[in-house]
Amino acid sequence: MRRLRAVAAAAAAAVGLVLVTAAPAPAAAPITTALYTADPAALVVGDTLHLYTGHDEAPAGGTNFVMRDWHVFTSGDATTWTDQGAKLKLSDFPWAGADAWAGEVEAKGGKYYWYAPVNGNGAGWMDIGVAVGDSPLGPFHDAKGGPLISDSTPNSSPLNIDPTVFTDDDGQSYIYWGSYYGLRAARLGADMISLNGAVTTPSGVSNFWEAPWMFKRNGVYYLAYAANDSACSAPGYACIRYATASNPLGPWTHRGVVLDQVSSTTNHPAIIEFKGQWYMVYHNAAAPGGGNFRRSVTLDKLYWNADGTMQKVVQTTGPTTGTNLALTATASTSYVSSGETLGAIKDGFTPANSADHSHGAYGNWNHQGTEWLEYQWPSAQTVNRVATYWFDDNQGIDLPASCKVQYWNGSAYVDAPGQSGCGVAANTFNTTTFTAVSTTRLRLSITSRSGFSTGVLEWQVPH
Ligand code: FUB
C-alpha cells in the first residue's frame, strides 16, 4: 500500500535535511537542479509525498551511468521539495560495487523496505537487494546480506533491475522487475525479503522494455512501464505504456501510452494519488546541463477517464537545457500585426505567465483561422521537439483551439511524424515531441478559437 498514515512527523525531524526550493516552483519543473536525479519511486506517508530517486553523477558529455546512491525528496504540496539527502548508498550493500539503479520503497508492518538494483560483484551483472528502515527516511540497512534476486534466481529477467513492489488489500505483497523485454513477477514472503513461490512471466504487457510501476485503483490493477517501440517513440527513446488486470499477476490487457517520449532516452514512471490529485512522476533531461546520464525527476498531473483509462499526461516542463535552435534560426510568419513583434518568439526569455509581454510578443490580431510561424536554418538540423509559450492578452488574442508542428521535407511541408499532442495550456511551455527529423525549416501551424486571434511569447526548439 503506498498511501499510509503514520510516522511522518517523527521522520521529518531526521538529520541532514537540505532545503532545495524555498518558493513554489512551476508544475513539472525539476524537483531540484542542485543534483541530477532519475528513476523516481513515490510513497505517501501521512501528509507527505516522498520521492525516492536515483542520483546521476556522470560528467558532462559522459556516456555511461555513474550512480552511487539514492536520495529521498519530500513535499507537502507536490510543488516545493526538500532533499533529505542520500539515505541509501552502494556501501550499504557490502556485497555490491556499482550501479545504484532504479529502486522503490514499500511500507509494511511499520517498516520501510527499499528494493534496489545494484551490480552485485557476483556472477552476471545486476542483482536486486533489499534495505530496511523504521521510517520513510531511514536509516536503512541491508536486510538480507545478499541479493533477493540474481541471475541464479530461476526464471529471472535477462537484466534484474527496476523492482516495483505492491501490497494488495489482503496483505500479500508482490514484486515485479526486469529489463531487456523481460518482465518478471513473484509473490514476496511475509518477511518481505524472500520470494514465495515461482517467478512468473506476466502475459499481455505489450512492448515491455523496463521500469515497471504497479498500483491499484477502484479494484483494478495497473502496471505502467517503459516501452521503446517505434509506435510510441523515436529510436532509442522510451515512452510509458500501461496495462490493466483483474488479478495482480495478470493476465494483463494493454491500454496504451500514458506518457510520450521525453528529452532523455530512458524514462521511469511512478503514478500516485496525493491529497486527491493523481500525478505521473518521471524523469527527463531538462535541468541545466542535463542529458541522458544527467537526468532530472519531474512530475505532472495525471487525469482519468470515466472508464478507468488514463489520459495521456501533458508534459508542462519548459526546455531549460541544451541548445535552443530557435536562437540561430530566421523567423517568418503568415501574418504579424503591426503592434506585435515576431522576434519576441526567439529571444530566449521565460515569461512569467501568458500575459507577460514584457519582452514583446508575437500576435496576429485581427486575423482568425489558421496562421503559421516558421524557423529556417542555413543547414539541416536534427529536431525532435518544440516548446511553445502562448500569448493571451485577455483581449483579442486568446489561446488557440489547436496547433501542429510541420517540417520541410525538401519539397513540401508535412506533419512532423509521431507528434504528441500540441498543447494549448496557458502560463507554461507546451512541449510537443515527435520522431526526430532532419530539416532546414520547421513550422508551427496555429488555429484560433472562434472570434479570437492567436499569439506566441516564446517558441523554442530544444536540441
Ligand atoms: O538509471 C539506470 C536505469 O536507467 C534504470 O534502472 C532504468 O529504469 C533506466 O531509467
Side-chain angles (χ1 to χ4, degrees):
M1 305 280 219
R2 295 202 170 82
R3 186 163 187 87
L4 300 173
R5 300 171 200 288
V7 292
V15 292
L17 181 148
V18 180
L19 191 63
V20 229
T21 47
I31 60 169
T32 180
T33 54
L35 69 162
Y36 295 108
T37 56
D39 302 330
L43 177 72
V44 174
V45 182
D47 286 335
T48 303
L49 177 56
H50 297 72
L51 298 185
Y52 297 85
T53 78
H55 177 194
D56 276 340
E57 297 188 85
T63 54
N64 281 305
F65 294 121
V66 179
M67 305 179 79
R68 303 183 182 97
D69 56 31
W70 298 263
H71 278 237
V72 187
F73 292 82
T74 53
S75 177
D77 58 7
T79 300
T80 304
W81 295 94
T82 300
D83 182 1
Q84 303 287 350
K87 294 297 182 183
L88 188 65
K89 304 181 177 67
L90 282 173
S91 56
D92 292 321
F93 297 107
W95 46 273
D99 300 330
W101 285 13
E104 180 180 323
V105 172
E106 179 73 355
K108 194 170 185 185
K111 296 204 177 295
Y112 296 82
Y113 297 90
W114 198 328
Y115 299 83
V118 291
N119 184 336
N121 289 334
W125 179 12
M126 295 297 285
D127 304 322
I128 295 174
V130 197
V132 66
D134 291 328
S135 91
L137 299 181
F140 294 92
H141 62 271
D142 185 9
K144 203 172 162 67
L148 168 66
I149 295 165
S150 70
D151 284 354
S152 61
T153 303
N155 190 35
S156 70
S157 171
L159 188 61
N160 292 302
I161 64 170
D162 294 2
T164 179
V165 171
F166 164 76
T167 303
D168 209 347
D169 303 331
D170 63 2
Q172 175 65 54
S173 299
Y174 300 82
I175 185 167
Y176 311 75
W177 75 97
S179 183
Y180 293 175
Y181 308 110
L183 176 63
R184 297 292 185 266
R187 289 185 175 81
L188 281 170
D191 61 4
M192 298 295 276
I193 60 169
S194 62
L195 301 186
N196 177 12
V199 172
T200 67
T201 303
S203 66
V205 187
S206 305
N207 300 108
F208 174 87
W209 167 247
E210 63 183 9
W213 173 261
M214 171 80 180
F215 65 100
K216 187 178 185 181
R217 178 179 180 268
N218 294 341
V220 177
Y221 301 90
Y222 290 81
L223 191 71
Y225 53 96
N228 59 9
D229 53 285
S230 59
C232 79
S233 55
Y237 284 79
C239 74
I240 304 300
R241 294 184 177 276
Y242 75 104
T244 61
S246 56
N247 183 295
L249 292 175
W252 295 90
T253 302
H254 175 246
R255 299 293 183 191
V257 176
V258 62
L259 182 69
D260 283 321
Q261 173 185 325
V262 298
S263 49
S264 57
T265 48
T266 60
N267 207 342
H268 201 108
I271 297 173
I272 198 153
E273 184 182 20
F274 179 56
K275 296 186 175 174
Q277 173 66 55
W278 284 82
Y279 294 93
M280 165 69 80
V281 193
Y282 58 104
H283 68 225
N284 59 27
N292 292 333
F293 305 100
R294 290 153 68 89
R295 300 163 291 181
S296 49
V297 167
T298 187
L299 68 163
D300 271 306
K301 291 178 179 173
L302 180 145
Y303 297 96
W304 295 89
N305 296 313
D307 65 359
T309 55
M310 290 186 272
Q311 296 177 12
K312 195 181 276 188
V313 170
V314 175
Q315 298 177 41
T316 58
T317 305
T320 56
T321 186
T323 308
N324 175 13
L325 292 176
L327 302 178
T328 57
T330 301
S332 58
T333 179
S334 53
Y335 178 71
V336 57
S337 50
S338 57
E340 263 92 34
T341 324
L342 178 61
I345 67 170
K346 54 185 284 297
D347 62 1
F349 177 58
T350 299
N353 54 57
S354 283
D356 178 9
H357 55 105
S358 57
H359 284 225
Y362 160 80
N364 51 42
W365 188 82
N366 57 2
H367 283 201
Q368 293 175 23
T370 299
E371 303 289 348
W372 51 259
L373 297 173
E374 185 182 292
Y375 283 146
Q376 184 163 357
W377 296 274
S379 58
Q381 309 291 321
T382 299
V383 291
N384 66 2
R385 62 184 173 134
V386 300
T388 311
Y389 209 115
W390 300 108
F391 178 37
D392 178 358
D393 69 356
N394 297 312
Q395 299 180 64
I397 291 177
D398 205 338
L399 299 171
S402 63
C403 56
K404 67 179 175 181
V405 180
Q406 298 183 300
Y407 79 102
W408 184 253
N409 69 2
S411 53
Y413 267 110
V414 296
D415 291 352
Q419 64 187 282
S420 59
C422 194
V424 293
N427 308 323
T428 188
F429 279 101
N430 293 266
T431 299
T432 303
T433 60
F434 45 90
T435 305
V437 294
S438 177
T439 187
T440 55
R441 293 195 230 168
L442 211 53
R443 182 175 278 196
L444 182 65
S445 174
I446 313 165
T447 301
S448 69
R449 298 182 189 195
S450 176
F452 290 99
S453 303
T454 55
V456 171
L457 293 174
E458 197 73 21
W459 186 37
Q460 299 187 341
V461 184
H463 186 62

